[in-house]
Amino acid sequence: MGCFVSTQKDAGGNRRRPANIGDVAVFVPGLRIPKPANFSEALGDHLSKSLVERLSALRTRIVVMAGQEAPTITRTRRKTATQHGGSTLGDLLQALEDYLPVLLGLVKDGSPLQHKVQFVWVNQEDEAEETAMCSAWYEVLSVLHLMATLSLSQANLLLLPRTSVDGYQPKLSEESRRSSVDVFLKAAGYLDCAVRHVLPQLPDELRRNLPVDLAEGVLRALCLQALGQGVDIQLGLAIDSTKATLAVKRRLACEMVKYWQQAQDNITSLALANGWGEKHRLFVKWKYLEAKAAAYYYHGLILDEGNTEKSHGMAVAALQAADECLKESNKACEAFHASAPLSRNPPLWGTMKFLSEKIPKDTCSKVRINKDLYSHDKIMETAPTLPDFALALKPDEYQLPEVDLSWNQQAQKSR
């Protein structure tokens, strides 16, 4: 059905992991780097010389670019982000988009050519140093994963506050925040396509031998993370808007909790390792706790609008839960940035800048007022259940491109 080789870590190592990746607003897994493939040897007797050369040239371009740029793409300091990062990411994404339609010719109509070429990629979250498979669908899956990773890196660059012209507190423009939502949805679209349309094409044996970087749980988690961070941006914009009601903010915060809860569920049982994997797990934990803090806060404010002792008691319990989740999220944030590779938290902005100030202040105030008004037994000891809302934000409906026209010319020559 197809060869597969999984290579364990060696003394030299192909994984070039930076010691410090700078400011992180979005978790970007280390880039899986492709290694050269020998199309001529594998396909020379089956395809025209021009098509073999085109496949080789397109993939070699990606190998070279990814190998050169991976260290700088993951090290997203603000200077790099503004001067070089955008074009680097864009060029590599374009190279992948150029390659994909030509690559898909190898799997068209179940072609046996899909098993002829051995594709090798260096892993980041798996114990195995690299994974080689004689499967063009494995290559398609790896390409989509890399496209999603680059998109998440683009979103990270957009969400790093820039030093303002007046030299005061770094700021993040509304335009950058809105643009990041589009990028998150694009990343989620690549990952959703990978899970729904590419993974099912792989035989069970190859699926079992995929590196954890490409495990269904990791792909789903990354997709949900992108959607969760998209909702986080929407909540921040709602906080800034005078027209957004408490009900709207609570709904967004509760949806955010569900996205991060599902992301956490998807990676809980996976053997994430080697720095990036543990960092991934800590990031999900951190953002899940942040989302819960926001949801309990807005739920508490709405409950406090009620006119009964019970609703006020539930409001206090919700606000206390928000305060506790905020404290726990700060610990998780520190653990995330302290894990290898080291990173930094950019200056606070958006949802968490607002809530980190409001939650402790409002909780203290509401607890004092309600304890003055009511006896202790009216204050709930456990947080009330959060409302359950349907998830509104969906991935872009990305579809694999049509097979490149050069394959039609190849078919005509073969007749």
Side-chain angles (χ1 to χ4, degrees):
M1 188 58 75
C3 62
F4 121 84
V5 180
S6 187
T7 307
Q8 298 301 316
K9 288 182 281 189
D10 56 45
N14 292 304
R15 292 191 251 224
R16 288 176 289 169
R17 186 170 297 136
N20 192 313
I21 55 174
D23 294 345
V24 172
V26 179
F27 175 76
V28 182
L31 298 193
R32 294 184 74 244
I33 308 299
K35 297 183 75 174
N38 193 334
F39 288 102
S40 297
E41 182 178 313
L43 301 174
D45 295 336
H46 305 278
L47 298 177
S48 66
K49 182 180 178 182
S50 62
L51 187 51
V52 170
E53 288 177 347
R54 189 166 179 217
L55 272 167
S56 183
L58 288 168
R59 194 175 192 277
T60 299
R61 180 183 171 206
I62 294 166
V63 170
V64 172
M65 288 179 68
Q68 289 176 343
E69 304 299 344
T72 60
I73 286 173
T74 53
R75 195 179 295 114
T76 48
R77 291 190 174 89
R78 280 193 292 273
K79 183 178 179 183
T80 303
T82 53
Q83 294 183 2
H84 308 294
S87 61
T88 297
L89 293 169
D91 291 346
L92 187 46
L93 260 173
Q94 186 60 55
L96 291 162
E97 289 173 1
D98 292 344
Y99 173 52
L100 201 49
V102 185
L103 169 65
L104 286 169
L106 292 175
V107 300
K108 184 179 180 181
D109 299 328
S111 169
L113 295 179
Q114 64 183 281
H115 306 300
K116 296 289 184 183
V117 184
Q118 184 182 68
F119 296 103
V120 186
W121 288 71
V122 176
N123 302 316
Q124 294 291 350
E125 296 188 276
D126 199 271
E127 284 288 353
E129 178 86 18
E130 59 188 42
T131 301
M133 289 188 176
C134 295
S135 167
W137 279 117
Y138 166 64
E139 177 82 344
V140 173
L141 185 64
S142 298
V143 167
L144 287 179
H145 178 268
L146 184 51
M147 290 168 71
T149 303
L150 295 173
S151 297
L152 291 174
S153 192
Q154 282 184 328
N156 190 49
L157 298 181
L158 285 167
L159 295 177
L160 297 182
R162 313 280 182 241
T163 303
S164 55
V165 177
D166 55 18
Y168 290 108
Q169 183 75 16
K171 296 178 180 177
L172 192 63
S173 71
E174 182 176 323
E175 180 185 2
S176 289
R177 287 191 281 169
R178 292 189 183 278
S179 296
S180 74
V181 175
D182 294 335
V183 177
F184 280 129
L185 296 183
K186 183 170 73 169
Y190 295 143
L191 294 160
D192 186 58
C193 176
V195 170
R196 294 195 299 118
H197 300 299
V198 179
L199 272 180
Q201 301 294 336
L202 287 163
D204 289 342
E205 180 191 359
L206 290 188
R207 285 189 67 165
R208 285 193 298 271
N209 290 312
L210 285 171
V212 74
D213 307 56
L214 300 180
E216 183 174 347
V218 169
L219 298 177
R220 287 188 183 277
L222 286 171
C223 178
L224 289 158
Q225 287 168 229
L227 297 174
Q229 292 208 263
V231 176
D232 189 3
I233 302 301
Q234 292 179 332
L235 177 56
L237 294 169
I239 288 170
D240 291 344
S241 171
T242 55
K243 297 180 181 179
T245 64
L246 280 179
V248 167
K249 296 169 189 173
R250 180 179 67 173
R251 181 187 181 102
L252 288 169
C254 288
E255 287 183 35
M256 192 160 57
V257 171
K258 287 180 71 173
Y259 284 119
W260 288 106
Q261 172 68 67
Q262 290 178 23
Q264 187 164 266
D265 290 345
N266 272 285
I267 61 172
T268 297
S269 61
L270 296 176
L272 294 170
N274 292 306
W276 283 117
E278 180 59 20
K279 204 167 181 72
H280 189 175
R281 196 186 303 281
L282 288 169
F283 185 80
V284 173
K285 179 182 178 180
W286 165 29
K287 291 299 175 181
Y288 177 46
L289 287 165
E290 271 191 359
K292 287 174 71 175
Y296 278 124
Y297 174 71
Y298 285 112
H299 190 40
L301 294 186
I302 288 177
L303 288 170
D304 198 51
E305 292 179 340
N307 295 319
T308 67
E309 290 183 20
K310 181 180 179 182
S311 67
H312 290 162
M314 292 171 68
V316 169
L319 290 170
Q320 287 176 323
D323 194 46
E324 188 60 32
C325 286
L326 182 62
K327 291 173 182 174
E328 290 299 313
S329 77
N330 288 334
K331 293 177 185 176
C333 172
E334 290 175 6
F336 167 77
H337 290 300
S339 68
L342 300 177
S343 54
R344 291 190 306 270
N345 205 20
L348 280 179
W349 53 269
T351 303
M352 290 318 297
K353 185 176 191 304
F354 176 81
L355 293 180
S356 63
E357 298 167 0
K358 294 290 287 181
I359 288 177
K361 179 182 175 182
D362 287 358
T363 301
C364 183
S365 172
K366 297 295 182 185
V367 168
R368 189 187 70 251
I369 291 171
N370 283 284
K371 283 188 174 178
D372 287 345
L373 290 174
Y374 309 120
S375 60
H376 180 74
D377 60 358
K378 297 294 183 183
I379 307 298
M380 293 178 62
E381 295 299 325
T382 57
T385 303
L386 291 170
D388 185 18
F389 296 105
L391 297 175
L393 206 59
K394 304 294 183 186
D396 278 355
E397 291 191 13
Y398 176 79
Q399 294 182 341
L400 292 173
E402 294 291 327
V403 173
D404 190 79
L405 291 176
S406 57
W407 283 91
N408 292 340
Q409 298 165 0
Q410 168 69 32
Q412 291 169 2
K413 289 179 181 178
S414 301
R415 287 173 185 168

